[in-house]
Amino acid sequence: MDLGISGKKALVCAASKGIGKAAAKSLAEAGVELFLCARGEDELKAAADEIGKLTDKKVHFMPADLTNKDSRENLVKGVQERFSSIDILVHNVGGPKPSIVQETQLADWRKGFDQLFESVVHLNEAFLPGMKKNKWGRIVTVTSLSVMEPIGTIAVSNAMRSAVTAMLKTLADEVAAENITVNCVAPGVIYTDRTEERVNALMKEKGGTKEDYLQDYLRSIPAKRLGTPEEMGATIAFLASQPAAYITGSTICVDGGKRRSTY
Ligand code: NAD
């Protein structure tokens, strides 16, 4: 299928590895010109070089900490200098630290807000005017299945990702008539470094083997396997595409059937 976005310009956040990098790759394969950001420069440069080689096109990048306002402002300036405006904005960032509600400090809730909510608001404010001017835009945000089924150990993620989903649903209504779509992609369990880190942390805390924890995940996944970053990347690229023009205000789960609710 022709995604109809060749020559469009995208900012993909948290794109040095995992889901963000896979989204960048899928967009590059569809002919999109890329600007990538993530925290660590070396890994980010390696990702940009790898994707650039795949498509024979320069991939622009800038290290940025999305939890930090000055760093985000610097990123916005960098993207605007390179592209002036962008057509596709992929919001993605690392997850907040795990905790249960009763042990979460106010400072942790605030940090989660900066990371998962304020960063999205800030980048939307910076890039929506260009999309409105061009009468074309795609905003895709990586959230989590936890917006539908809260996960007991990640209180801040449950709360802040739900808040950001509600805010983006509201925004979707506001800009729909201007040919701008706003959607979320909610991963279930995708095999990335983050999943590996979580399994290692569980092994350290509770003992057991990697295989035990992977089998634990599989019990609740009808597909009986973890998802791949590429499956997330392909979904993000589709939501950013021309054929997806009539999908807005939605959350699409990429979870091998893990979600228990019908809708
Ligand atoms: P990952 O650890 O493989 O990659 C994380 C990326 O985020 C890296 O590029 C890193 O540099 C970047 N990053 C982290 N903090 C950042 C910051 N403050 N500013 C800029 N960049 C930052 O993680 P992943 O598995 O690809 O997960 C991506 C997002 O999806 C996370 O928010 C995660 O919580 C969420 N998620 C993942 C899963 C899963 O199963 N992998 C499930 C649900 C939700």
Side-chain angles (χ1 to χ4, degrees):
M1 180 175 39
D2 180 4
L3 294 187
I5 46 177
S6 185
K8 298 279 188 205
K9 296 175 176 62
L11 168 61
V12 184
C13 297
S16 64
K17 57 183 182 168
I19 292 168
K21 181 178 168 190
K25 262 191 189 172
S26 292
L27 289 168
E29 281 160 7
V32 173
E33 285 185 49
L34 292 175
F35 199 112
L36 312 182
C37 79
R39 271 179 315 187
E41 178 155 15
D42 293 349
E43 223 168 351
L44 180 62
K45 182 178 181 322
D49 288 348
E50 184 190 324
I51 298 169
K53 275 191 196 124
L54 271 182
T55 52
D56 233 3
K57 264 192 190 162
K58 182 159 178 50
V59 173
H60 307 281
F61 65 92
M62 180 183 276
D65 179 353
L66 293 164
T67 58
N68 180 288
K69 188 167 172 267
D70 292 344
S71 185
R72 289 193 304 259
E73 270 165 8
N74 203 33
L75 171 68
V76 168
K77 210 166 138 232
V79 175
Q80 286 172 340
E81 271 168 16
R82 179 63 56 189
F83 284 160
S84 81
S85 65
I86 57 167
D87 309 290
I88 299 164
L89 173 56
V90 179
H91 293 294
N92 183 35
V93 70
K97 89 173 194 250
S99 62
I100 62 168
V101 171
Q102 296 170 87
E103 287 168 9
T104 305
Q105 307 298 312
L106 198 50
D108 297 324
W109 295 112
R110 288 202 174 115
K111 208 166 158 200
F113 177 84
D114 285 352
Q115 187 177 20
L116 295 172
F117 195 100
E118 193 176 302
S119 63
V120 172
V121 170
H122 188 161
L123 297 184
N124 282 352
E125 273 176 13
F127 296 113
L128 254 173
M131 293 181 185
K132 289 168 94 163
K133 197 166 157 227
N134 297 337
K135 291 257 176 263
W136 201 97
R138 299 284 186 266
I139 297 174
V140 185
T141 304
V142 177
T143 59
S144 167
L145 192 60
S146 69
V147 300
M148 293 170 183
E149 298 176 3
I151 300 168
T153 49
I154 50 169
V156 176
S157 173
N158 295 337
M160 297 306 158
R161 290 189 200 275
S162 296
V164 88
T165 302
M167 180 273 287
L168 290 168
K169 174 77 182 153
T170 314
L171 175 66
D173 291 350
E174 293 173 20
V175 297
E178 292 171 277
N179 210 13
I180 299 169
T181 67
V182 183
N183 292 292
C184 298
V185 182
V189 189
I190 308 296
Y191 205 98
T192 63
D193 284 2
R194 181 181 168 275
T195 314
E196 185 93 26
E197 280 159 21
R198 277 180 70 183
V199 169
N200 288 338
L202 285 168
M203 280 163 53
K204 207 167 153 197
E205 192 190 320
K206 298 182 178 166
T209 65
K210 186 169 165 183
E211 196 50 35
D212 293 336
Y213 291 106
L214 292 178
Q215 284 305 324
D216 255 8
Y217 281 135
L218 298 193
R219 266 189 276 284
S220 63
I221 303 173
K224 293 296 166 219
R225 67 172 178 86
L226 303 192
T228 65
E230 290 71 25
E231 287 165 327
M232 280 293 294
T235 309
I236 292 166
F238 176 69
L239 288 172
S241 76
Q242 187 56 43
Y246 205 54
I247 303 174
T248 195
S250 286
T251 289
I252 309 294
C253 296
V254 178
D255 67 350
K258 189 173 177 354
R259 188 189 76 236
R260 291 299 73 230
S261 61
T262 309
Y263 302 109

